[in-house]
Amino acid sequence: MKRGFKRGIVVSLVLAMSMVTAACGSSSGKSDNSVELLNVSYDPTRELYESYNKAFSAYWEKEKGQKVTIKQSHGGSGKQGRAVIDGLKADVVTLALGYDIDAIQKKGLINKGWQSKFEKNSSPYTSTIVFLVRKGNPKGIKDWNDLIKGDIKVITPNPKTSGGARWNYLAAWGYALHHNNNDQNKAKEFVQQLYQHVPVLDTGARGATTTFVEREIGDVLIAWENEALLSVKQLGPDKLDIVYPSESILAEPPVAVVDKNVDKKGTREVAEAYLKYLYSEEGQKIAAENFYRPTLESLKEKYKDTFKDIKLFTIDEFGGWAKAQAEHFSDGGVFDQIYVPGK
Amino acid sequence: MKTIATKRGVLPGFGLTMGYSVLYLSLVVLIPLSALLLNSTGLTWGKFWDIATDARVLASFKVSFLTAAAAGLIDAVLGLLLAWVLVRYDFPGKSIFDAMIDLPFALPTAVAGVSLTAIYSDKGWIGSLLEPLGIQVAYTPIGITLALMFIGIPFVVRTVQPVLEELESEVEEAAATLGSGRVRTFLVVVLPQLYPALLTGFALAFSRGIGEYGSVVFISGNMPMKTEIAPLLIMSKLEQFDYAGATAVALLLLMISFLLMLIINTLQHRLRKTAR
Amino acid sequence: MAGSVPMTSGSSMNPRTRSMKETSWVKWALIGLAALVLLWLIVLPLIVVITEALKQGWDVFLAAIVDPDAMSALRLTLLVAVITVPLNTIFGVAAAWAITKFRFRGKQFLITLIDLPFAVSPVIGGMIYVLVYGEHGWLGGWLDSHNIQIIFALPGIILATLFITFPFVARELIPLMEDQGQQEEEAAVTLGAKGWTVFWKITLPNIKWGLLYGVILCNARAMGEFGAVSVVSGHIRGETNTLPLHVEILYNEYQFSASFAVASLLLVLALVTLVLKGWFARKNAH
């Protein structure tokens, strides 16, 4: 009996070994005059970085004579942040909100003070929150307070699973604050009513867009401006219209170099240049063409027809991300109170 | 040694197969799962209890277990029908019929979710027919049940099928010779022999349903307290870097399903004994 | 009671055939009902996949499939299946042998442990490997200092798939082998046959159908798994994206047709395994 046991262990060890060797066979080599970067980003930046990567590769090869290949990884912002924390070897992260990069920083992968490392709060491009409605705006939606009228159905993703949706929520909150003499209780009431008009809470921003456009559910979709512009372009200029509310939040998706990873791989120089080039005229132009608001003054003028000028407030109004997260989105926070009775 | 051998029977290979099974089970399943148990840093009993009794968590468990049970039961009935037809009858197109059964496994769950939502939403093929009747399927527990039925049906068919194929015909013949009617023969002679396999199929479809995430999030609408499933709560906790909270919900879910399955497996074992 | 049994099916029929067959209309009614169930529950969603895939014509369909990212995803998916299915098959046979041919304490407990991966949400199935092999996991520090990447690379994807498909073969074989008992094997051993010979000559032919079903299910699930793999993959394009993940990417890029085209590629893959099964069945028919 004992010999049998031993044999069982030997057999399984051999199998395990063969699995490991099979698995390791695929690791790739790297030649001297080329470098590889991994950009871990969130969902709606695929198109943006696809064209930006080409531009940067050309720029870098011209400048330094080095070939750079940029690999892309996209997913929900929080999930991507977690992957980097758990060991996804990203050189740079370009996420939806500072909170997710803060989480990486807390684990020691990114140095403190990352947000002042690049200009404009390390946010090379910005966006805002707007409404997407059916063609001709049949329900006459003009501003945030129209969303809670009658039987209007609002589509927005779940702020607990979608980073982008947290901007939606805060934009509504900010509007309500400003229209009720900064009364927090009134703002809460408004947001509570708003979410009572939401029939489906998708887990991600793009899921919500699909629900609104393809399933034809709801009268209005609360969306990022870049997503709204892209949806109109890709899914039907004849089906959708964009409505700008009187005021909204300035969404600043930040970027950062993952210090620990670039130091280990020796890619700091190119990684920093990669993010810095986002602020260049070419980088800004690519951002604008992918419907992100450029931060470069000279381009703002050029694209002023695409990006309507509305009153924008920032996350600072909520005391920064850490505070907003704790107050509104953590378990038992305001968002949970909306749904759980008696809390 | 000898006493063990005689007690277990004359067949060889117990040590080898048992040793290998346990080792492999430990490497692939038990050790990683124990990480879940031990990694709950920051998780005190107090917090665990708070999470376990949270109204929203309880509501999501109710949704998950009820829809999974309903889907499992319906699958058991429909699966038995499909397996019976496949084993007992010959008809044109049978091989294609047979092949189709496995396709729900091959289709990524997210695709299944999207397709089902497309069919059953108000503008979909079936949804638009049901809407005038006031029946809403997508974004209700019915939709979740449907998605879980799709995910689980192969489990039932594929566990019942081999047993049905191996079923000895003598008993059935004897019953018939003794003058028993076909329906009676089926109910009294055939069905009891299938109970263990049916129960296994149900258990598998059921437990798969409890954990299912990919297909359900599309069709459920994810409304807290109404159509929010337990795996989604785990995801949303992870999304906020709340590992301890996610672990707590996961552990709870795991313990309940494990207990249920242990009960079902024991029951099934008893049934098998009586069926002999 | 016996007198009430209808004998209308014809006295020329011998009891054997009569007992094993329903009257023709019952048979066809059952077949029709089963076909309806199949159409409604399984075929309808698949038709959606196919029609969506072809909505923008064959050009878009083909372009989506020959896309380099799709091809690399296909390669990865096949590689993962080729590694995981045999490993879990060997385990399944070993476990079923140990469980059904011998008596020991805690058998139901062991079976339930084997079932466990079914009960674990796929998301958790991925997360546990992150807890063990991730940067802050048990082995994270050691792996990092030796530059071994498990999570967000091929080994992680394989591990997660192994976990998800772990019970399939064993679960298929256990009820079958339990039903068959062990008399045949015992007789052979008593007559002096060796263990392996008994397995190859007696057990394997008896369980080949169950085994085949198990392998097919295991394979289909290995290729289609999304949730667990999504947690450990890292989503690096052209590198750690499997086919199901690629489907999701395309879908999120609003390339609905392309996304469903790749999904239908997965269906084709599943059909190929089923054709192989048919071939195997014919070969073994005599």
Side-chain angles (χ1 to χ4, degrees):
Chain A
M1 202 63 76
K2 265 200 177 139
R3 264 188 52 213
F5 240 102
K6 266 191 201 156
R7 244 196 301 171
I9 289 167
V10 170
V11 169
S12 45
L13 281 183
V14 169
L15 283 170
M17 291 297 285
S18 60
M19 194 183 96
V20 170
T21 41
C24 291
S26 68
S27 58
S28 55
K30 215 195 300 180
S31 79
D32 279 327
N33 209 21
S34 75
V35 62
E36 230 176 51
L37 282 185
L38 175 59
N39 176 5
V40 171
S41 195
Y42 64 113
D43 262 325
T45 57
R46 294 168 213 265
E47 297 82 5
L48 163 64
Y49 281 107
E50 224 158 81
S51 29
Y52 176 71
N53 288 346
K54 281 187 202 126
F56 178 74
S57 293
Y59 159 79
W60 189 252
E61 195 167 4
K62 207 173 108 201
E63 204 76 352
K64 302 269 170 176
Q66 192 183 32
K67 233 180 151 47
V68 54
T69 326
I70 298 126
K71 292 188 292 182
Q72 279 177 262
S73 166
H74 297 273
S77 187
K79 189 178 171 186
Q80 294 290 83
R82 211 166 61 244
V84 173
I85 289 173
D86 285 328
L88 182 60
K89 297 280 180 273
D91 298 275
V92 296
V93 284
T94 53
L95 297 176
L97 29 89
Y99 179 72
D100 294 328
I101 298 186
D102 279 339
I104 304 173
Q105 183 263 314
K106 273 190 201 131
K107 292 283 177 180
L109 290 164
I110 292 176
N111 295 340
K112 272 196 174 144
W114 61 269
Q115 194 131 34
S116 50
K117 228 177 135 180
F118 295 97
E119 289 170 60
K120 325 246 180 204
N121 277 334
S122 286
S123 306
Y125 41 79
T126 63
S127 192
T128 186
I129 305 301
V130 300
F131 306 147
L132 200 61
V133 295
R134 311 264 171 228
K135 191 79 194 172
N137 197 358
K139 300 269 168 142
I141 291 159
K142 294 206 170 55
D143 207 349
W144 289 99
N145 56 347
D146 291 325
L147 300 185
I148 58 168
K149 283 181 184 157
D151 62 345
I152 298 278
K153 285 198 167 61
V154 182
I155 304 293
T156 177
N158 189 339
K160 299 204 87 165
T161 52
S162 158
R166 281 174 221 164
W167 291 107
N168 298 0
Y169 171 103
L170 292 175
W173 189 282
Y175 167 87
L177 267 188
H178 299 154
H179 285 75
N180 288 294
N181 300 319
N182 287 326
D183 185 338
Q184 296 280 352
N185 285 328
K186 288 269 171 61
K188 184 177 168 185
E189 216 169 274
F190 178 80
V191 172
Q192 190 155 6
Q193 281 182 337
L194 176 65
Y195 277 89
Q196 272 157 10
H197 285 261
V198 179
V200 176
L201 274 177
D202 279 286
T203 51
R206 294 232 157 152
T209 311
T210 312
T211 300
F212 182 73
V213 179
E214 292 286 298
R215 304 279 98 78
E216 297 179 42
I217 290 172
D219 304 303
V220 53
L221 173 79
I222 307 179
W224 285 49
E225 182 185 38
N226 59 302
E227 284 288 278
L229 288 164
L230 183 73
S231 312
V232 170
K233 181 182 149 204
Q234 293 216 333
L235 299 172
D238 51 335
K239 285 199 295 197
L240 305 163
D241 275 334
I242 293 177
V243 171
Y244 280 86
S246 64
E247 65 172 321
S248 192
I249 197 165
L250 177 70
E252 296 174 298
V255 300
V257 168
V258 185
D259 296 288
K260 200 178 156 206
N261 290 347
V262 292
D263 286 344
K264 196 169 173 187
K265 291 200 216 167
T267 49
R268 179 176 282 281
E269 193 196 350
V270 58
E272 277 173 359
Y274 178 76
L275 293 186
K276 205 150 188 211
Y277 195 64
L278 280 169
Y279 293 90
S280 72
E281 193 166 343
E282 191 183 15
Q284 290 282 300
K285 218 175 128 203
I286 292 172
E289 270 156 16
N290 285 284
F291 306 123
Y292 281 93
R293 294 188 169 215
T295 48
L296 197 69
E297 292 301 329
S298 60
L299 281 180
K300 272 187 183 168
E301 186 58 27
K302 191 177 162 200
Y303 286 96
K304 70 170 194 265
D305 291 340
T306 319
F307 305 109
K308 213 181 139 189
D309 202 18
I310 56 170
K311 190 182 150 204
L312 296 173
F313 51 90
T314 69
I315 183 72
D316 295 337
E317 192 127 338
F318 300 87
W321 267 113
K323 190 157 175 274
Q325 178 74 26
E327 239 175 70
H328 293 276
F329 307 119
S330 63
D331 281 353
V334 176
F335 182 74
D336 277 354
Q337 294 165 20
I338 290 176
Y339 280 105
V340 182
K343 253 205 168 172
Chain B
M1 282 303 264
K2 201 173 179 194
T3 49
I4 298 172
T6 44
K7 202 174 123 202
R8 297 205 200 284
V10 294
L11 293 181
F14 179 71
L16 176 76
T17 53
M18 193 65 184
Y20 175 68
S21 301
V22 170
L23 187 77
Y24 188 77
L25 179 73
S26 311
L27 280 178
V28 178
V29 179
L30 298 183
I31 294 176
L33 268 184
S34 64
L36 192 66
L37 260 173
L38 300 172
N39 207 297
S40 31
T41 38
L43 186 65
T44 58
W45 277 108
K47 188 171 184 213
F48 185 77
W49 185 248
D50 280 351
I51 292 172
T53 53
D54 180 58
R56 198 146 153 218
V57 173
L58 288 177
S60 77
F61 273 55
K62 200 174 128 198
V63 172
S64 278
F65 280 97
L66 282 182
T67 52
L73 279 176
I74 301 172
D75 272 348
V77 176
L78 298 182
L80 175 64
L81 172 71
L82 292 177
W84 178 270
V85 165
L86 279 174
V87 171
R88 289 297 170 99
Y89 304 138
D90 267 319
F91 53 92
K94 183 174 160 180
S95 52
I96 298 172
F97 197 124
D98 192 19
M100 286 287 184
I101 305 280
D102 292 326
L103 290 180
F105 277 145
L107 201 65
T109 50
V111 178
V114 170
S115 320
L116 288 170
T117 316
I119 298 173
Y120 292 102
S121 76
D122 290 353
K123 303 280 187 303
W125 293 344
I126 294 187
S128 60
L129 299 177
L130 293 176
E131 211 226 330
L133 305 173
I135 304 172
Q136 211 197 339
V137 174
Y139 314 117
T140 68
I142 305 175
I144 304 178
T145 310
L146 254 170
L148 297 182
M149 278 165 62
F150 177 81
I151 300 294
I153 188 84
F155 281 112
V156 179
V157 180
R158 294 313 189 207
T159 41
V160 173
Q161 213 174 356
V163 178
L164 203 55
E165 248 157 30
E166 299 293 324
L167 212 61
E168 282 152 11
S169 51
E170 285 88 9
V171 195
E172 261 180 272
E173 280 167 32
T177 332
L178 291 174
S180 199
R182 191 60 197 142
V183 175
R184 203 176 133 79
T185 311
F186 176 78
L187 287 178
V188 177
V189 179
V190 181
L191 201 56
Q193 298 197 60
L194 291 179
Y195 278 147
L198 270 176
L199 203 55
T200 306
F202 167 77
L204 295 183
F206 173 67
S207 44
R208 174 92 164 79
I210 291 170
E212 177 56 18
Y213 174 79
S215 61
V216 176
V217 289
F218 288 97
I219 203 168
S220 75
N222 308 320
M223 296 308 286
M225 310 297 288
K226 286 188 201 120
T227 57
E228 189 175 53
I229 53 166
L232 179 67
L233 269 188
I234 298 174
M235 273 309 251
S236 66
K237 285 189 192 301
L238 277 180
E239 212 64 31
Q240 297 157 73
F241 307 101
D242 179 10
Y243 282 70
T247 310
V249 180
L251 264 180
L252 211 58
L253 197 61
L254 189 65
M255 285 181 330
I256 299 175
S257 345
F258 182 77
L259 265 178
L260 279 174
M261 274 164 68
L262 192 61
I263 293 169
I264 292 176
N265 277 337
T266 315
L267 195 69
Q268 188 242 43
H269 189 66
R270 296 258 164 80
L271 272 177
R272 192 183 300 281
K273 271 189 185 157
T274 51
R276 282 255 178 83
Chain C
M1 274 308 282
S4 68
V5 173
M7 299 293 279
T8 49
S9 49
S11 53
S12 63
M13 254 179 165
N14 66 34
R16 187 189 155 82
T17 38
R18 185 177 53 93
S19 72
M20 299 308 289
K21 284 205 175 80
E22 284 72 43
T23 43
S24 157
W25 73 267
V26 175
K27 173 186 160 182
W28 287 106
L30 285 177
I31 291 176
L33 204 58
L36 269 181
V37 168
L38 192 79
L39 271 176
W40 165 60
L41 200 57
I42 298 177
V43 178
L44 198 60
L46 301 182
I47 291 178
V48 173
V49 173
I50 308 279
T51 48
E52 287 286 332
L54 293 173
K55 215 176 196 170
Q56 292 173 27
W58 281 99
D59 294 348
V60 175
F61 183 89
L62 287 176
I65 286 174
V66 296
D67 180 82
D69 279 352
M71 288 321 267
S72 92
L74 174 65
R75 269 196 301 278
L76 181 63
T77 294
L78 289 177
L79 180 65
V80 169
V82 161
I83 295 171
T84 52
V85 173
L87 282 173
N88 277 342
T89 306
I90 295 169
F91 161 76
V93 173
W97 180 272
I99 285 170
T100 59
K101 303 292 177 193
F102 303 96
R103 274 184 298 152
F104 56 91
R105 268 165 179 277
K107 192 185 272 190
Q108 293 316 309
F109 188 72
L110 183 62
I111 295 179
T112 311
L113 281 181
I114 292 176
D115 281 348
L116 208 53
F118 280 149
V120 175
S121 181
V123 177
I124 298 300
M127 199 179 102
I128 54 175
Y129 289 102
V130 174
L131 291 178
V132 175
Y133 300 103
E135 187 97 5
H136 304 278
W138 291 351
L139 303 174
W142 186 85
L143 290 170
D144 198 43
S145 59
H146 287 76
N147 272 326
I148 302 173
Q149 185 90 19
I150 301 265
I151 299 299
F152 310 120
L154 182 64
I157 298 174
I158 290 174
L159 281 171
T161 312
L162 272 182
F163 181 88
I164 292 296
T165 59
F166 181 84
F168 276 100
V169 178
R171 218 51 192 91
E172 206 59 49
L173 290 181
I174 290 169
L176 184 65
M177 282 165 77
E178 204 142 90
D179 264 356
Q180 288 171 348
Q182 58 255 36
Q183 288 90 342
E184 287 183 55
E185 282 91 348
E186 275 171 2
V189 170
T190 323
L191 291 172
K194 282 246 164 50
W196 281 112
T197 325
V198 173
F199 176 74
W200 285 113
K201 291 272 162 67
I202 296 171
T203 313
L204 198 59
N206 272 337
I207 61 168
K208 65 176 185 236
W209 289 117
L211 185 62
L212 196 61
Y213 283 142
V215 169
I216 286 171
L217 293 190
C218 181
N219 181 62
R221 192 84 168 77
M223 293 195 298
E225 177 51 23
F226 172 80
V229 172
S230 155
V231 176
V232 296
S233 117
H235 301 271
I236 305 169
R237 295 195 137 195
E239 212 172 291
T240 60
N241 267 332
T242 61
L243 273 186
L245 297 182
H246 190 63
V247 171
E248 192 218 12
I249 285 183
L250 291 172
Y251 190 78
N252 275 344
E253 285 178 357
Y254 304 134
Q255 302 187 40
F256 300 124
S257 288
S259 154
F260 282 103
V262 176
S264 58
L265 185 64
L266 272 164
L267 291 177
V268 171
L269 277 182
L271 281 172
V272 168
T273 56
L274 295 167
V275 168
L276 283 178
K277 175 197 151 195
W279 171 80
F280 185 85
R282 268 199 305 284
K283 208 182 141 210
N284 284 270
H286 34 265

